[in-house]
Amino acid sequence: MQMEAEMNLHVCALALLLFGSIATVRGRAVDLVDDSNDVDNSIEAEEEKPRNRAFEADWLKFTKTPPTKLQQADGATIEIVCEMMGSQVPSIQWVVGHLPRSELDDLDSNQVAEEAPSAIVRVRSSHIIDHVLSEARTYTCVGRTGSKTIYASTVVHPPRSSRLTPEKTYPGAQKPRIIYTEKTHLDLMGSNIQLPCRVHARPRAEVTWLNNENKEIVQGHRHRVLPNGDLLISEIKWEDMGNYKCIARNVVGKDTADTFVYPVLNEED
């Protein structure tokens, strides 16, 4: 029975990989600089064999690698985007500055790992540079799930006019940008899932969620919007399947992000 439930999850993941045109990418140096955004600049760390897991092995693949090089324009805000998909609930964090591979592998995550051994999740994270750079700087997207770690780097070059000048943050209000969210979340029926919606904004943004019927979610015993903006859905059911939308608003504007929730039949039930 457990093998059938696991097979259902793998079939769903395979369908997402095939029909979502997801590229799986492997192995090159993280500090490679190239003009093409299609260059594979990802690294996979050595994997340890997991124990007491629903899957035989942890897996984690980039679905969108960040560009290898960016040039900052005068007064421009830069957003570096990184997406990946894997077993359990992958976490993404950003490292500023060049670090040796060994230090990236051993880096402590600043994301709290969720206990979701049966989940398959596609997560998206972006890093916002809202200040003028005075020198070239490396930004590395580090993804983890279980014993698996992968990463890819972007070198951002400053505007020529700002080199060797003190760095300063752009003044004034900024419209919300949703910087951490999940594109897809699959898990077994009866599981508790937490859909992140983390926002970069000035002043602080108000976060609301729309459910799979496009109605604003009201706090209840199964649906709760947490103080950090995440949506918690308890004991997911088949009727919970569908698209959930996070909306972040402030006085300057708004941003939205969609998460598709797919409850999977647990054959043990």
Side-chain angles (χ1 to χ4, degrees), residues 179-230:
I179 59 173
Y180 200 93
T181 187
E182 292 175 357
K183 307 285 282 187
T184 312
H185 193 122
L186 293 80
D187 208 342
L188 296 176
M189 293 183 192
S191 301
N192 299 327
I193 65 174
Q194 185 170 325
L195 310 181
C197 183
R198 312 292 167 79
V199 183
H200 177 95
R202 191 166 63 234
R204 184 175 178 177
E206 176 187 6
V207 173
T208 56
W209 282 84
L210 302 182
N211 64 15
N212 56 346
E213 296 179 344
N214 208 36
K215 298 177 181 178
E216 185 171 340
I217 290 177
V218 179
Q219 303 281 49
H221 72 284
R222 291 190 57 243
H223 297 81
R224 287 195 299 127
V225 179
L226 304 179
N228 63 358
D230 293 1

Side-chain angles (χ1 to χ4, degrees), residues 4 32 42 71 79 93 218:
E4 292 179 4
L32 175 66
S42 62
Q71 179 73 52
E79 181 176 14
Q93 69 179 120
V218 179

Side-chain angles (χ1 to χ4, degrees), residues 28 60 71 171:
R28 285 195 184 179
L60 183 62
Q71 179 73 52

Side-chain angles (χ1 to χ4, degrees), residues 70-247:
L70 288 173
Q71 179 73 52
Q72 187 179 37
D74 285 324
T77 297
I78 289 180
E79 181 176 14
I80 312 173
V81 178
C82 178
E83 291 184 10
M84 56 189 65
M85 184 174 185
S87 55
Q88 304 191 72
V89 180
S91 66
I92 298 178
Q93 69 179 120
W94 290 88
V95 176
V96 180
H98 181 78
L99 286 179
R101 177 176 174 176
S102 59
E103 292 187 29
L104 286 172
D105 291 342
D106 296 334
L107 193 68
D108 291 332
S109 175
N110 60 8
Q111 298 287 340
V112 178
E114 295 181 40
E115 288 294 330
S118 57
I120 295 172
V121 175
R122 181 178 176 183
V123 62
R124 177 187 188 274
S125 179
S126 59
H127 185 83
I128 305 296
I129 304 174
D130 60 357
H131 56 276
V132 180
L133 296 179
S134 61
E135 60 183 2
R137 192 158 296 154
T138 302
Y139 298 84
T140 302
C141 169
V142 182
R144 285 190 181 80
T145 187
S147 59
K148 193 77 171 178
T149 300
I150 59 176
Y151 39 86
S153 294
T154 299
V155 178
V156 180
H157 296 269
R160 291 178 176 84
S161 61
S162 69
R163 292 177 182 175
L164 303 179
T165 61
E167 297 189 4
K168 57 181 179 180
T169 301
Y170 300 141
Q174 294 184 6
K175 72 179 290 291
R177 293 174 187 254
I178 296 175
I179 59 173
Y180 200 93
T181 187
E182 292 175 357
K183 307 285 282 187
T184 312
H185 193 122
L186 293 80
D187 208 342
L188 296 176
M189 293 183 192
S191 301
N192 299 327
I193 65 174
Q194 185 170 325
L195 310 181
C197 183
R198 312 292 167 79
V199 183
H200 177 95
R202 191 166 63 234
R204 184 175 178 177
E206 176 187 6
V207 173
T208 56
W209 282 84
L210 302 182
N211 64 15
N212 56 346
E213 296 179 344
N214 208 36
K215 298 177 181 178
E216 185 171 340
I217 290 177
V218 179
Q219 303 281 49
H221 72 284
R222 291 190 57 243
H223 297 81
R224 287 195 299 127
V225 179
L226 304 179
N228 63 358
D230 293 1
L231 173 63
L232 178 64
I233 307 177
S234 302
E235 300 178 349
I236 58 170
K237 303 177 181 179
W238 180 252
E239 54 264 32
D240 291 323
M241 183 175 67
N243 195 65
Y244 291 75
K245 184 183 293 290
C246 172
I247 305 172

